[in-house]
Amino acid sequence: MKLTHLSLGLLAAALAGSVWAANRPAGYTTICTENKTCSVATATNVAFGRADQFFYKTLTGSFVCNQATFGGRVGGGTNECSAPGTPNSSSSSGSSSSSSSSSSSSSSTSSSSTSSSSSSSTSSSGTGSSSSSSSSSSSSSSSSSSSGSSGGTGTWLPPGYVSGQGYYPGCKLPVATETVQLSTPLIVPANTVYDGGNKRFNLSGGGQDEGQPPVIQVEDGATLKNVIIGAAAADGIHCMGSCTLNNVWWEDVGEDAATGKGPAGSVMTINCGGAHKAADKIFQHNGRGTVNISNFYGEGGGKLYRSCGDCTANGGPRLVNINQVVTRDVKTYTGVNVNYGDKATIRNVVLDNTGSDRVKMCQVFIGKVKGEGTSETIGVFWNKSYCDVTEANVTLLGPSRTNPGECNIGNCSAY
């Protein structure tokens, strides 16, 4: 009898565990299981995984629910494909073999993501408490909204996100363990990892004056994690080459939160964190290479990302991949220079604004070399080679709206 009770207790615990570790995100419905073919009628942010760990990809039409389609799988059991709400979808059995992504007949691909905190040259993937992403350069077919509509038509939300909560799920600003007042910038040597232990670092300033020093300078190949930049934020963090910023928060952004200053081929990865009270730019890109931003919350400011408009020896290309990001009252998501070959790729973002001002998702400029004048604004564009974003990539909450597109010069047909 005791053994029977023990067995029943273990079974109950196992069942409770299976309920707790869901095979679909909150608000999602399973549409098929691993290695079966299923379909969605319209562009849908489909989740693939199990046990509260998921890869996401925006798909349309038929696709195979497998690792090849989503770029990874969660071990330990059968993965499921799920979609928000009760989708208009179907499924059928499919081959268990994994082929290349081309085996799925999706007409729209975007980013794949799973819980992670490590990075590569174009994406972040692995395991951990927060989600990381890789951005695809493919474009969905979508036109800009009419001037009377709100704009974004996306349905993706980070699992567990509640409007107005002020942080990305799993990446909440921690309570500072200590406040460190620096007299000179903290240098993180090349190819090292600096764990700040959730200490708050201050240096000086914190306003919009140009030319301020960084609070922390991260050298090529280094990783900075578990750091809070306080109100005396100067020019935030300078990344001098390839670098990774994991679990980094800005309580009150100074000149900029972080600046990418690496050469061509360098990759600056920002994964899990948040920036608050920004007045102008959050991320500035003065060097070359790629900036990846994922699992991030940004509040306030003129721009989430800006490719330098008038740097010394200005040029490009500069690439930015933004995936799984929530912003609140940020006026412009990205600003890129079309004449330098810049490109912005935006997937799975949420605008959770307090007002109805129209957000410019991708603003395009003509960049200039310092001393030759200021950059020229061309306009706001959707679904272009340099503005890889469609309305389906943008979820709007509350009164949020996006700019439907505009031309700020006499004729934008050349762009």
Side-chain angles (χ1 to χ4, degrees):
M1 182 64 71
K2 290 182 179 179
L3 289 175
T4 301
H5 287 161
L6 179 59
S7 298
L8 289 173
L10 290 173
L11 176 60
L15 289 173
S18 66
V19 171
W20 179 255
N23 288 344
R24 66 205 66 82
Y28 275 56
T29 300
T30 298
I31 57 177
C32 67
T33 54
E34 192 167 7
N35 295 321
K36 292 186 177 180
T37 298
C38 46
S39 66
V40 287
T42 59
T44 302
N45 193 47
V46 180
F48 173 69
R50 61 174 299 278
D52 287 330
Q53 297 183 70
F54 305 100
F55 292 81
Y56 292 87
K57 197 165 192 178
T58 301
L59 299 166
T60 304
S62 298
F63 60 92
V64 179
C65 180
N66 64 8
Q67 180 175 351
T69 299
F70 289 87
R73 73 181 299 277
V74 180
T78 301
N79 286 226
E80 297 181 7
C81 285
S82 57
T86 306
N88 180 11
S89 60
S90 62
S91 66
S92 61
S93 61
S95 168
S96 61
S97 62
S98 293
S99 59
S100 66
S101 299
S102 62
S103 65
S104 70
S105 58
S106 162
S107 63
S108 170
T109 62
S110 62
S111 57
S112 301
S113 62
T114 188
S115 300
S116 87
S117 60
S118 60
S119 65
S120 67
S121 62
T122 59
S123 65
S124 336
S125 62
T127 60
S129 62
S130 61
S131 295
S132 184
S133 62
S134 63
S135 298
S136 161
S137 61
S138 60
S139 298
S140 304
S141 59
S142 172
S143 60
S144 63
S145 63
S146 65
S147 59
S149 68
S150 295
T153 61
T155 58
W156 177 82
L157 282 174
Y161 182 76
V162 177
S163 178
Q165 70 182 32
Y167 60 91
Y168 192 92
C171 300
K172 186 177 181 179
L173 172 68
V175 176
T177 57
E178 180 185 343
T179 297
V180 178
Q181 179 60 54
L182 300 171
S183 57
T184 58
L186 173 67
I187 307 296
V188 181
N191 303 312
T192 64
V193 176
Y194 183 87
D195 187 340
N198 292 333
K199 294 177 183 177
R200 176 190 293 115
F201 293 85
N202 284 316
L203 180 63
S204 60
Q208 287 299 299
D209 294 341
E210 294 287 337
Q212 296 183 69
V215 178
I216 302 176
Q217 181 169 304
V218 183
E219 299 294 340
D220 184 42
T223 294
L224 178 69
K225 64 180 184 178
N226 303 323
V227 162
I228 302 168
I229 303 298
D235 196 26
I237 296 170
H238 285 184
C239 178
M240 307 308 292
S242 290
C243 74
T244 300
L245 309 181
N246 279 334
N247 304 319
V248 176
W249 295 267
W250 293 261
E251 292 179 316
D252 189 344
V253 176
E255 183 181 346
D256 303 309
T259 302
K261 307 186 80 168
S266 62
V267 180
M268 178 179 178
T269 298
I270 302 102
N271 179 57
C272 190
H276 299 262
K277 300 180 182 179
D280 188 12
K281 299 178 292 295
I282 295 178
F283 296 111
Q284 172 79 15
H285 198 175
N286 289 351
R288 305 290 191 273
T290 301
V291 172
N292 296 320
I293 308 167
S294 61
N295 313 308
F296 193 83
Y297 176 84
E299 184 173 288
K303 296 179 178 66
L304 176 64
Y305 166 93
R306 176 66 167 107
S307 175
C308 186
D310 57 356
C311 287
T312 301
N314 206 9
R318 301 182 180 104
L319 311 177
V320 59
N321 299 312
I322 300 173
N323 185 32
Q324 298 186 185
V325 167
V326 178
T327 60
R328 192 169 181 85
D329 299 336
V330 173
K331 297 176 183 178
T332 300
Y333 248 70
T334 60
V336 296
N337 302 312
V338 67
N339 58 318
Y340 294 147
D342 297 349
K343 179 179 180 179
T345 300
I346 302 173
R347 298 288 187 271
N348 300 326
V349 298
V350 178
L351 275 57
D352 188 10
N353 296 338
T354 60
S356 59
D357 289 348
R358 291 192 179 274
V359 176
K360 302 176 178 69
M361 296 306 298
C362 187
Q363 191 170 26
V364 177
F365 299 85
I366 295 292
K368 298 292 182 69
V369 175
K370 191 174 185 65
E372 295 181 356
T374 58
S375 59
E376 300 175 19
T377 305
I378 300 299
V380 178
F381 297 94
W382 293 80
N383 203 21
K384 296 282 190 178
S385 60
Y386 41 82
C387 288
D388 187 359
V389 56
T390 71
E391 291 178 353
N393 304 135
V394 184
T395 300
L396 302 178
L397 299 181
S400 304
R401 301 192 301 171
T402 59
N403 187 302
E406 64 183 45
C407 181
N408 299 117
I409 58 176
N411 183 4
C412 284
S413 60
Y415 301 97

